[in-house]
Amino acid sequence: MSQKWTESNVPDQSGRTVIVTGANTGLGYETARVLAGRGAHVVIAVRDTAKGDAAANKIRSASPQAEVDVVALDLGSLASVRAAAEQLKSAHPRIDLLINNAGVMYPPKQTTADGFELQFGTNHLGHFALTGLLLENVLAAEDSRVVTVASIAHRNQAKIHFDDLQWERSYNRVAAYGQSKLANLMFAYELDRRLTGKDTISVAAHPGVSNTELMRHTPGTGLPGFNTLANLVTNSPLVGALATLRAATDPAVRGGQYYGPAFPVASMGVVGHPHLVSSSAQSHDQGIQRRLWAVSEELTGVTFPV
């Protein structure tokens, strides 16, 4: 395999069922497009089904043989997560790939339908609940994987604030995003440990810095020339999605690994093609991982069959 892992390295996915959250645009769309083009039956799970239908039609235009479905999923509502999970479980007894991709970044302070801080509730708790509800169907597939999209932001002002998980005392949108992405990574690691002995693995990925709609709340986005500058120092959505695609499909991937760009900027992988990368020492703290898992079960009411 070449050093530069690209879309062409994705193996044939015929006969596989893939669920990608947040796949109507950006990284999720590129992930869904490539997998559908390789023969997978892809389910786009999105909050706005009209945008999901448009994305599915665009994928079908590029790959007329593609099988693409759309399911309504609002990760900020546990009722929506449960409804989507029931629909998916009924339609797909075997799920080969669950890709937890959707997310929000740096919004003004908001809460989910269940009262959780928006970034923690959507990025972590929504995906935690969805994974738990679908895991029996994932376990039913041979060589199945759960891929959770984290971020280099898991290092940025990030810790799990067990004394104020929902940022009710004060709100720092950068630190809140960092907490949610650290939680994503800890969830991926803890899930893989719980899958020991199963024919299913949990893997994490990050896109580096990618110029997608996720950046819409980033300070400076409205300034003249922002997009031109961003395009020079960030990954395109496709290159950003390659880390997810590698984590999802590379036969050499092992459970508990973390893939992302390796080109060093400020001592972190920010741009470029995906490699096996490391995460912060904090992200590997098994005590915090287990505590976060227990709290997440309590907050969502979802327990896992492992």
Side-chain angles (χ1 to χ4, degrees):
M1 185 175 292
S2 65
Q3 184 70 12
K4 181 181 274 192
W5 201 93
T6 70
E7 177 181 350
S8 66
N9 292 113
V10 176
D12 180 69
Q13 298 295 301
S14 297
R16 309 196 82 202
T17 297
V18 179
I19 297 167
V20 187
T21 66
N24 59 290
T25 188
L27 304 172
Y29 170 78
E30 294 294 345
T31 301
R33 178 189 65 78
V34 172
L35 292 171
R38 289 290 186 275
H41 181 174
V42 175
V43 182
I44 293 175
V46 291
R47 184 174 55 183
D48 188 328
T49 54
K51 290 182 178 179
D53 287 335
N57 288 333
K58 189 176 175 183
I59 291 171
R60 293 188 197 105
S61 295
S63 301
Q65 82 289 354
E67 285 188 86
V68 191
D69 296 330
V70 178
V71 167
L73 170 67
D74 181 356
L75 289 162
S77 162
L78 290 175
S80 174
V81 171
R82 289 183 180 278
E86 284 303 312
Q87 185 177 350
L88 291 165
K89 285 163 66 178
S90 176
H92 307 288
R94 192 192 76 240
I95 297 170
D96 299 272
L97 276 174
L98 171 59
I99 300 179
N100 294 321
N101 164 81
V104 292
M105 182 174 78
Y106 300 166
K109 187 176 182 181
Q110 300 172 58
T111 56
T112 68
D114 305 286
F116 306 130
E117 186 274 318
L118 185 63
Q119 297 181 95
F120 185 71
T122 301
N123 299 351
H124 170 61
L125 292 175
H127 281 127
F128 179 92
L130 181 68
T131 305
L133 293 167
L134 294 180
L135 193 58
E136 284 188 358
N137 295 51
V138 177
L139 290 169
E142 185 178 350
D143 294 327
S144 55
R145 298 183 189 184
V146 177
V147 178
T148 300
V149 179
S151 170
I152 56 173
H154 82 275
R155 301 176 183 269
N156 190 9
Q157 301 181 40
K159 62 177 287 189
I160 307 298
H161 296 264
F162 289 109
D163 60 339
D164 190 20
L165 280 173
Q166 312 308 335
W167 298 85
E168 294 167 318
R169 297 177 195 164
S170 62
Y171 181 64
N172 179 321
R173 60 183 179 172
V174 174
Y177 181 67
Q179 172 181 259
S180 75
K181 301 317 289 185
L182 176 61
N184 282 154
L185 200 48
M186 291 185 138
F187 164 64
Y189 291 155
E190 177 67 16
L191 175 60
D192 190 69
R193 232 180 353 266
R194 290 172 184 243
L195 289 169
T196 299
K198 305 289 187 182
D199 197 24
T200 300
I201 61 172
S202 169
V203 189
H206 80 82
V209 178
S210 296
N211 193 11
T212 70
E213 285 188 10
L214 190 66
M215 295 181 69
R216 61 186 176 276
H217 294 298
T218 302
T221 51
L223 296 176
F226 178 88
N227 283 333
T228 300
L229 178 61
N231 285 331
L232 293 174
V233 297
T234 62
N235 280 328
S236 68
L238 173 57
V239 175
L242 290 176
T244 301
L245 288 163
R246 185 167 192 177
T249 68
D250 187 340
V253 168
R254 298 292 175 261
Q257 291 184 330
Y258 184 38
Y259 285 83
F263 188 80
V265 176
S267 300
M268 293 182 289
V270 175
V271 295
H273 291 248
H275 297 263
L276 182 63
V277 294
S278 61
S279 61
S280 68
Q282 181 182 202
S283 70
H284 293 283
D285 188 314
Q286 294 184 21
I288 299 176
Q289 290 171 9
R290 288 191 292 269
R291 184 179 178 189
L292 175 64
W293 188 283
V295 169
S296 300
E297 286 187 331
E298 180 181 349
L299 291 174
T300 63
V302 173
T303 55
F304 283 57
V306 290

